[in-house]
């Protein structure tokens, strides 16, 4: 029997060398390659077993990644607090009171009342209340960062590993239990269970992809509206310098006219940037417009109607080339009030987009976990069916695996 053709290792294995210490999963070659001579011929489904093990490692990494990320953020928070505390201790130690000679000139006959100083309780060395040192936290952070990097590297291969395993089992391997016309009741049972499990995986996969698309659109809209809010606020701050109602007439008169015009022009540029970002936010939200409630729709329509170009209108009002008519101050004040109202609506809308984005991210995570659960159930069905109806098992090589059976070890 000729040995089976090997596929390229880049298509079959995940890079988990750094992740093996904390994923608690056997390596790709554990129990087989290390114990058999290079001249030994591989069993026919050895590559399939490796695909199964690759998926197991990626799936375990995906489940572990969230916990590792939370541990990393907690360690970063502790390290920040420890550094602040160390910096405060360093400053306090450098500002000690200078020695004074006043106590030397006190009258000896003056009685002093000495209060007993209560003895400080000695900390129990066995207690866990002692916070870790700065060096310990830094070492822990370094270890967590390495572990997160390894876990993320393995988790990123989850979809690829599952697709490779499913493609081989669905299209490239004649599993006896897939057909309902196979002999025996076990084949029919597994065929029905298999079809149901596949439908569940397909349905949840579609739900996850739809949720992922929605989240991506909301994230883009959120970034755009945050930028619009930032740019609009910059324009408002600049206009407050030159035409705020709180500004005195004397300050307005003595101000350099050239500098004032440049400030108006710069505010107008920021307003134009804000308008561009707001338009991008609306464009990103169009496919998900049904997520907006009535209040958000009204705010959005008001912002689309009024626009964010109040600073541009103020610049044209002040330096549009026309002869300034009476009542210009009143028109500026009205425009400033209008700008404040627009900013309030823009802020409310930005807050809603941010909240909706967080909700969509949570839904995406939930649908992904649901899809992964369905995948695990499908893979478990594959393993059980192979153990019951096939001459070999999907389970990765181990002490009782098919690769150690006598008929798979031709001499």
């Amino acid at each position: 029997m000729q040995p089976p053709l090997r596929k390229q290792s880049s298509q079959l294995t995940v890079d988990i060398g750094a992740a093996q210490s904390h994923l608690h999963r056997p390596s790709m070659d554990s129990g087989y390659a290390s114990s058999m001579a290079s001249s030994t011929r591989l069993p026919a489904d050895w590559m399939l077993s490796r695909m199964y093990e690759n998926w197991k490692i990626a799936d375990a990494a995906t489940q572990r990644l969230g916990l590792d990320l939370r541990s990393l953020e907690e360690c970063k928070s502790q390290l920040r607090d420890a550094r602040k505390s160390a910096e405060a201790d360093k400053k306090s130690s450098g500002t000690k009171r200078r020695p004074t000679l006043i106590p030397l000139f006190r009258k000896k006959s003056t009685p002093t009342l000495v209060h007993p100083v209560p003895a400080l309780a000695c900390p129990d060395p066995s207690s866990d209340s002692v916070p870790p040192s700065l060096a310990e936290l830094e070492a822990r952070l370094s270890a967590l960062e390495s572990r997160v990097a390894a876990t993320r590297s393995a988790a990123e291969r989850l979809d690829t590993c599952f697709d490779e395993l499913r493609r081989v089992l669905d299209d490239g391997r004649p599993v006896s239990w897939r057909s309902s016309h196979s002999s025996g009741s076990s084949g029919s049972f597994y065929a029905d269970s298999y079809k149901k499990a596949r439908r569940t995986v397909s349905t949840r996969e579609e739900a996850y992809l739809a949720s992922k698309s929605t989240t991506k659109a909301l994230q883009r809209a959120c970034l755009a509206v945050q930028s619009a809010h930032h740019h609009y606020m910059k324009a408002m701050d600049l206009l407050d310098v030159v035409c705020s109602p709180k500004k005195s007439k004397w300050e307005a008169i003595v101000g350099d006219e050239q500098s004032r015009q440049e400030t108006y022009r710069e505010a107008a540029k920021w307003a134009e940037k804000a308008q561009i970002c707001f338009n991008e936010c609306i464009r990103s939200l169009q496919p998900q417009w049904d997520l907006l409630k009535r209040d958000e729709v009204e705010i959005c329509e008001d912002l689309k109607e009024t626009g964010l170009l109040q600073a541009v209108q103020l610049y044209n009002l002040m330096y549009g080339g026309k002869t300034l008519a009476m009542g210009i101050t009143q028109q500026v004040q009205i425009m400033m009030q209008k700008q404040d109202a627009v900013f309030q609506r823009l802020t409310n809308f930005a807050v809603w987009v941010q909240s909706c984005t967080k909700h969509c991210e949570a839904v995406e995570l939930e649908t992904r976990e649901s899809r992964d659960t369905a995948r695990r159930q499908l893979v478990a069905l594959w393993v059980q069916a192979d153990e019951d109806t096939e001459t070999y098992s999907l389970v990765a090589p181990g002490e009782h695996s098919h690769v150690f059976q006598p008929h798979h070890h031709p001499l």
Side-chain angles (χ1 to χ4, degrees):
M1 183 178 65
Q2 296 297 327
L5 296 177
R6 293 176 177 265
K7 293 184 180 181
Q8 295 182 358
S9 59
S10 61
Q11 299 175 352
L12 299 173
T13 61
V14 291
D15 184 14
I16 58 154
Q20 292 176 1
S21 61
H22 71 277
L23 290 181
H24 304 292
R25 291 293 185 272
S27 64
M28 299 303 177
D29 297 326
S30 62
Y32 180 68
S34 61
S35 61
M36 302 190 68
S38 58
S39 60
T40 303
R41 287 176 295 205
L42 296 175
D45 70 327
W46 168 248
M47 288 302 177
L48 181 60
S49 293
R50 294 189 66 177
M51 289 181 184
Y52 170 69
E53 189 176 358
N54 287 352
W55 170 82
K56 277 204 311 180
I57 294 173
D59 186 61
T62 301
Q63 298 180 69
R64 179 66 180 266
L65 183 59
L67 179 62
D68 285 351
L69 289 174
R70 287 192 293 270
S71 299
L72 179 62
E73 291 303 320
E74 182 180 354
C75 184
K76 288 181 178 179
S77 177
Q78 293 178 353
L79 184 58
R80 284 193 298 266
D81 295 341
R83 286 173 176 170
K84 289 180 181 178
S85 178
E87 186 67 22
D89 293 343
K90 184 178 179 180
K91 290 182 179 179
S92 62
S93 63
T95 57
K96 295 181 178 179
R97 293 184 59 186
R98 296 181 180 179
T100 178
L101 297 178
I102 295 179
L104 299 178
F105 295 95
R106 287 180 178 172
K107 296 181 180 181
K108 296 182 179 181
S109 59
T110 304
T112 57
L113 182 62
V114 179
H115 297 278
V117 180
L120 296 177
C122 296
D124 185 4
S126 62
S127 64
D128 297 333
S129 60
V130 180
S133 64
L134 191 61
E136 291 174 344
L137 287 173
E138 289 175 346
R140 185 186 303 175
L141 178 64
S142 178
L144 282 172
E145 287 177 340
S146 299
R147 189 166 73 181
V148 166
T151 307
R152 181 180 284 114
S153 176
E156 289 174 352
R157 288 278 299 168
L158 177 63
D159 291 343
T160 301
C161 291
F162 180 79
D163 289 340
E164 289 176 351
L165 182 61
R166 178 172 56 183
R167 182 166 53 250
V168 172
L169 288 171
D170 282 353
D171 303 327
R173 177 180 177 213
V175 181
S176 62
W177 52 265
R178 183 182 297 123
S179 174
S180 59
H181 301 288
S182 59
S183 60
S185 59
S186 60
S188 177
F189 168 76
Y190 284 123
D192 294 339
S193 300
Y194 167 78
K195 292 178 181 178
K196 182 179 180 181
R198 281 303 307 269
R199 284 196 299 266
T200 302
V201 170
S202 179
T203 301
R204 295 186 183 182
E205 182 77 28
E206 292 177 0
Y208 166 68
L209 293 178
S211 177
K212 185 177 180 180
S213 176
T214 300
T215 301
K216 186 177 180 179
L218 263 295
Q219 287 173 340
R220 184 174 182 84
C222 184
L223 180 61
V225 76
Q226 287 175 343
S227 299
H229 189 270
H230 169 75
H231 297 336
Y232 197 79
M233 189 164 56
K234 291 285 291 185
M236 291 180 64
D237 292 341
L238 289 170
L239 291 177
D240 283 341
V241 176
V242 292
C243 59
S244 174
K246 299 179 181 179
K247 195 178 183 70
S248 65
K249 293 182 179 180
W250 174 251
E251 290 176 326
I253 293 174
V254 300
D256 180 33
E257 183 60 30
Q258 184 177 1
S259 177
R260 284 166 54 85
Q261 183 175 359
E262 184 62 29
T263 302
Y264 274 107
R265 183 184 294 110
E266 186 177 357
K269 292 180 179 179
W270 281 109
E272 290 174 346
K273 293 180 180 179
Q275 185 66 56
I276 293 173
C277 292
F278 178 75
N279 293 341
E280 176 61 24
C281 173
I282 299 302
R283 190 190 68 80
S284 300
L285 286 176
Q286 286 297 333
Q288 317 297 336
W289 199 254
D290 56 333
L291 293 177
L292 278 70
K293 299 179 181 178
R294 185 177 63 180
D295 293 341
E296 284 71 34
V297 172
E298 292 178 357
I299 292 176
C300 189
E301 294 298 332
D302 289 342
L303 290 173
K304 289 167 62 176
E305 182 178 354
T306 58
L308 308 181
L309 299 177
Q310 284 71 40
V312 176
Q313 297 171 7
L314 276 171
Y315 178 80
N316 293 333
L317 182 65
M318 299 296 295
Y319 304 99
K322 298 179 181 179
T323 304
L324 297 181
M326 295 298 296
I328 187 67
T329 302
Q330 184 178 3
Q331 295 181 36
V332 170
Q333 292 178 354
I334 292 175
M335 190 63 65
M336 293 294 290
Q337 293 174 359
K338 184 178 181 180
Q339 180 179 250
D340 292 338
V342 169
F343 180 73
Q344 184 62 44
R345 290 196 293 271
L346 180 62
T347 301
N348 294 337
F349 185 68
V351 169
W352 177 85
V353 174
Q354 290 179 155
S355 300
C356 188
T357 302
K358 291 181 179 179
H359 174 72
C360 290
E361 290 172 346
V363 172
E364 178 187 352
L365 179 60
E366 182 179 347
T367 55
R368 173 167 182 163
E369 292 176 350
S370 177
R371 180 208 64 177
D372 291 344
T373 300
R375 284 180 171 181
R376 294 184 199 108
Q377 294 172 352
L378 179 60
V379 173
L381 181 64
W382 280 334
V383 172
Q384 183 181 0
D386 271 11
E387 290 176 347
D388 292 347
T389 63
E390 300 293 335
T391 59
Y392 45 76
S393 171
L394 271 175
V395 177
E399 181 180 358
H400 302 290
S401 178
H402 58 275
V403 297
F404 290 102
Q405 299 305 319
H407 60 274
H408 285 287
H409 285 263
L411 296 177

